[in-house]
Amino acid sequence: MTQPKKLFIKTYGCQMNVYDSERMSEALGGEGYVTTDRPDDADMILLNTCHIRERAAEKVYSELGRYKSLKAEKPDLKIGVAGCVAQAEGEEIMRRQPMVDLVVGPQSYHRLPELAARAGAGAKALDTEFPEEDKFAHLAARPKAARGPTAFLTVQEGCDKFCAFCVVPYTRGAEVSRPADRVIAEAHDLVKRGVREITLLGQNVNAYHGHEGGLAGLIHALAEIDGLLRIRFTTSHPNDMDDALIAAHGECEKLMPYLHLPVQAGSDRILKRMNRQHTAEEYVRLIERLRAARPDLHLSGDFIVGFPEETEEDFQATLDLIDEVRYGSAFSFKYSTRPGTPAAERDQLSEEVKDERLQRLQALLVKHQRAAQDAMVGREVGVLFEKPGRFAGQMVGKSDHLHAVHVAADGIAPGDLRRVRIVESGPNSLMGELVTL
Ligand code: 5AD
Ligand code: SF4
């Protein structure tokens, strides 16, 4: 019997890449590959890359450098670059790192088996087209193996917003929604395999238009699936938060009270220069409407500090907005120039200013995050258990609000959704006790 070939995939960046990596390894499974978690054991190494900030893109080249000696020892080893760096840099990658055999952009993953075969035959293979067909429809059907209680499901890709700092509209292309019937069929399939919580993914997921009534329509349809207990979605743009989706946060019990809704900055002048197409006030009013629909909603956001022309006063407006919204969690970044985006051409702030602002911003975000976590003590929440906890005899799961919660494991299995009373707030997680009825 021939040995199966081994595939090592390393995933960078966002959750959409995590989903894509799963689908790519499934597609290559049909070509006789099994996955390994050791690059030195692999016949093919695939880096699924991220181009969102400069550092993310640089990591790819340093990682490739590390594989040089492996390739020297094992000339049959195939090395591929997928994802947004592949899309943005294309052939340039093979010029900088000639040992790369295969470059595939995010819209061409359905062509991966064919590209892998070409690379296997000793040719260089490159595909960074934006083809018309739905890549997921052409990727191998997902295998039937059992899986953990949570899963990502990409429903939308690309972005038409063109924020002045962002490469996504260039690397992922225009907004495309997957048809609802395919999404619903995939969700049914995931539930049959043990999934209890699905996070719908899209670069601009709330612009989804593959179902009547948009994303809200899709969420209501998915909520009908028996055995699917929880629905989440990410990432959203404030301007695509329509009335039906706001209302769904109050109407749909399976839609969890946690929303990632990036604002990026709190100064109207900077928001305008970022081409965000809304003001800080409009964003805050939107949050109020969401909280009216779902009072215990936890908000999460993304922030950029040191965007070109950001003054201390502009930065202060971001801090004020954070104090007003009181985020339960957040991600924050120093502005990073991205080739081809409008803001890259403007005068840049110094690294010192960016560093100092990032520190102040993060201190404030941590304070609110801490307060939101501590405020859970004494409350009852749903927890979907996933796996054994850090300490013997514990299980850990995620609360409705996405906090990690540890509970004494007695009688709990992965995939169980139980009511839990929170008794303590630790450094990174909550401790709770099962509520017995
Ligand atoms: N510099 C810094 N952060 C960025 N993001 C996107 N582009 C840049 C950039 N050029 C951040 C935004 C976005 C998140 C995914 O990454 O905050 O919401
Ligand atoms: Fe990038 Fe998000 Fe703006 Fe689209 S909405 S351009 S993905 S930051």
Side-chain angles (χ1 to χ4, degrees):
M1 212 175 84
T2 53
Q3 287 282 333
K5 288 174 283 183
K6 292 195 181 145
L7 170 71
F8 171 76
I9 300 195
K10 182 158 179 159
T11 307
Y12 298 84
C14 65
Q15 292 150 330
M16 300 199 51
N17 270 6
V18 175
Y19 178 84
D20 286 346
S21 289
E22 276 178 21
R23 297 298 306 261
M24 284 192 277
S25 64
E26 289 164 4
L28 288 171
E31 306 299 303
Y33 281 93
V34 296
T35 51
T36 170
D37 50 13
R38 286 182 36 206
D40 55 351
D41 194 29
D43 300 290
M44 182 186 289
I45 294 177
L46 206 49
L47 301 184
N48 191 7
T49 62
C50 172
H51 202 241
I52 197 91
R53 284 169 292 276
E54 194 178 356
R55 198 116 65 94
E58 272 170 11
K59 272 193 205 149
V60 178
Y61 286 105
S62 66
E63 189 72 15
L64 285 171
R66 233 173 285 160
Y67 296 145
K68 243 185 203 147
S69 55
L70 273 184
K71 180 103 175 178
E73 280 167 30
K74 200 171 169 185
D76 284 345
L77 171 68
K78 299 298 164 203
I79 297 186
V81 178
C84 293
V85 175
Q87 188 63 47
E89 310 218 333
E91 268 173 81
E92 177 63 22
I93 297 174
M94 288 173 172
R95 265 197 294 276
R96 265 180 80 173
Q97 290 286 4
M99 64 179 188
V100 171
D101 302 285
L102 185 163
V103 172
V104 57
Q107 302 315 320
S108 305
Y109 293 156
H110 52 304
R111 297 183 181 158
L112 193 58
E114 178 200 325
L115 294 167
R118 264 180 23 219
K124 296 272 176 195
L126 175 113
D127 194 334
T128 52
E129 301 282 299
F130 284 105
E132 284 293 305
E133 68 260 32
D134 172 8
K135 69 173 179 206
F136 294 119
H138 289 78
L139 272 169
R142 310 200 72 169
K144 303 291 170 218
R147 45 175 301 159
T150 63
F152 294 134
L153 205 177
T154 292
V155 302
Q156 182 277 337
E157 286 194 89
C159 182
D160 297 339
K161 290 285 187 290
F162 289 93
C163 296
F165 49 81
C166 186
V167 285
V168 166
Y170 310 96
T171 53
R172 291 271 176 168
E175 278 174 12
V176 184
S177 296
R178 292 180 68 195
D181 53 350
R182 292 211 197 114
V183 171
I184 293 168
E186 195 171 326
H188 271 287
D189 188 52
L190 288 168
V191 170
K192 273 195 211 124
R193 292 161 58 197
V195 169
R196 296 289 166 258
E197 171 179 310
I198 290 180
T199 301
L200 305 174
L201 299 181
Q203 257 96 31
N204 198 6
V205 72
N206 58 341
Y208 178 78
H209 57 261
H211 192 284
E212 202 181 323
L215 187 65
L218 178 67
I219 288 169
H220 285 298
L222 291 171
E224 299 286 312
I225 299 177
D226 283 338
L228 178 62
L229 307 178
R230 286 173 153 186
I231 302 168
R232 305 181 187 274
F233 64 92
T234 196
T235 287
S236 298
H237 189 286
N239 288 3
D240 290 315
M241 219 63 214
D242 63 18
D243 292 349
L245 191 53
I246 295 170
H249 286 83
E251 292 163 0
C252 179
E253 254 179 61
K254 292 185 181 180
L255 182 60
M256 289 295 101
Y258 178 99
L259 176 64
H260 183 63
L261 193 62
V263 65
Q264 314 294 353
S267 142
D268 287 343
R269 200 177 68 84
I270 293 298
L271 286 170
K272 202 171 170 79
R273 297 293 284 151
M274 286 179 163
N275 191 32
R276 289 288 295 178
Q277 314 270 3
H278 62 77
T279 63
E281 175 75 15
E282 282 161 355
Y283 178 82
V284 170
R285 295 285 90 83
L286 175 60
I287 301 292
E288 283 171 359
R289 291 183 61 205
L290 283 156
R291 283 194 166 135
R294 182 81 204 229
D296 66 338
L297 188 69
H298 271 223
L299 262 302
S300 158
D302 288 339
F303 296 91
I304 295 178
V305 300
F307 188 75
E309 299 161 32
E310 183 189 69
T311 63
E312 176 58 29
E313 200 184 344
D314 292 321
F315 176 63
Q316 191 58 48
T318 302
L319 299 181
D320 292 346
L321 182 140
I322 290 170
D323 275 331
E324 185 152 5
V325 175
R326 291 167 285 110
Y327 291 89
S329 72
F331 304 88
S332 47
F333 314 99
K334 288 191 283 183
Y335 170 69
S336 165
T337 51
R338 306 312 294 128
T341 58
E345 311 297 321
R346 303 179 192 158
D347 288 343
Q348 303 295 320
L349 269 60
S350 72
E351 276 307 299
E352 291 70 40
V353 169
K354 289 186 197 175
D355 281 332
E356 192 263 341
R357 286 185 188 162
L358 186 66
Q359 273 186 28
R360 278 154 69 201
L361 184 94
Q362 288 185 337
L364 184 62
L365 288 171
V366 165
K367 188 182 99 180
H368 285 295
Q369 189 167 335
R370 191 73 252 159
Q373 194 190 300
D374 292 349
M376 300 310 293
V377 175
R379 287 173 58 182
E380 253 185 46
V381 289
V383 175
L384 178 65
F385 288 96
E386 291 175 20
K387 55 183 187 214
R390 248 172 303 130
F391 300 107
Q394 281 186 338
M395 283 287 282
V396 65
K398 290 279 165 53
S399 76
D400 302 336
H401 307 91
L402 217 52
H403 290 119
V405 182
H406 286 83
V407 173
D410 247 1
I412 306 173
D416 286 354
L417 177 64
R418 306 286 288 270
R419 298 297 296 171
V420 169
R421 185 173 305 104
I422 304 299
V423 294
E424 200 184 322
S425 176
N428 299 308
S429 66
L430 295 165
M431 264 60 73
E433 293 168 351
L434 285 188
V435 175
T436 39
L437 299 173

